[in-house]
Amino acid sequence: MIIAETRCYTASVEAIRGAGRIAGLKFPMLLSVAIGALPFYPLRSTLDVAQRAGADGVELLLTRQLLKRSAEEIQHDIGETGTRAISAHAFWSLRPTGIRQKIDRDVASVRLAGALPGCESIVLHPPITGPRISADLGRWLDAIAEERDRVRPALKLALENRVENFDGTAPQWLDDLTRLRALAGEWGMHICLDIAHAASFEFDVR
């Protein structure tokens, strides 16, 4: 399964649905507002925006603050606005982290997403491990898969393709989308194909 993702800042929800119908999409399309796209707004305000826009729900960015709260508290806030968390996005930081901290944060994110009613999937960024397959990547995959199986086996783990920021980060083994897809399939996971990220590598996603 491939979960397509892009950032639409100006198009209305109805315009996006109409474009999908014109394109003749053969699969169900859910439209959600990514909380991470509005990082400077309070959570409640972003939830209200999603509800008023007519989106099917939100993708909940699991910040450090949210990871300290219970699933019940978060669900209460979501429910009060009349929307729902269709998916979650694992904790994400601009600061480089070691593999142990990366595993701890992503495992905590999977645990919280699995406890949120109605949350179907969680998007995760594979660790930066270099141009070759590594033991650290295997440890990370083991950890998030084990936590998923423990909290809710039906929760979809979606591995997101990396963006090329031209910031000096070395090429990564999973920059190759064929490898990313094969790895996800082998581990019983999915892909979150961020179209904007793919375009940064000049991939043809048509």
Side-chain angles (χ1 to χ4, degrees), residues 30-47:
L30 292 176
L31 296 178
S32 66
V33 173
I35 298 294
L38 300 169
F40 303 112
Y41 289 85
L43 175 61
R44 182 60 181 264
S45 298
T46 312
L47 294 170

Side-chain angles (χ1 to χ4, degrees), residues 135-149:
D136 282 345
L137 177 59
R139 289 172 58 205
W140 177 77
L141 289 163
D142 276 339
I144 61 174
E146 287 173 6
E147 188 63 18
R148 180 228 18 225
D149 293 344

Side-chain angles (χ1 to χ4, degrees), residues 11-43:
S12 70
V13 166
E14 285 309 311
I16 298 170
R17 293 191 199 279
R21 289 191 293 269
I22 292 170
L25 295 180
K26 304 298 184 183
F27 51 85
M29 180 170 63
L30 292 176
L31 296 178
S32 66
V33 173
I35 298 294
L38 300 169
F40 303 112
Y41 289 85
L43 175 61

Side-chain angles (χ1 to χ4, degrees), residues 122-134:
I122 179 169
V123 176
L124 301 111
H125 289 263
I128 300 297
T129 56
R132 297 177 179 82
I133 193 167
S134 72

Side-chain angles (χ1 to χ4, degrees), residues 54-102:
D56 296 300
V58 298
E59 178 188 274
L60 194 63
L61 177 63
L62 301 181
T63 62
R64 184 178 287 105
Q65 291 73 26
L66 284 182
L67 287 175
K68 294 177 181 178
R69 299 178 63 190
S70 70
E72 291 76 14
E73 292 173 334
I74 297 169
Q75 184 59 34
H76 178 266
D77 289 347
I78 295 171
E80 281 199 330
T81 61
T83 187
R84 67 187 181 107
I86 295 174
S87 60
H89 191 296
F91 181 91
W92 182 73
S93 174
L94 293 173
R95 297 178 181 178
T97 60
I99 189 62
R100 185 67 260 168
Q101 189 175 30
K102 167 73 170 167

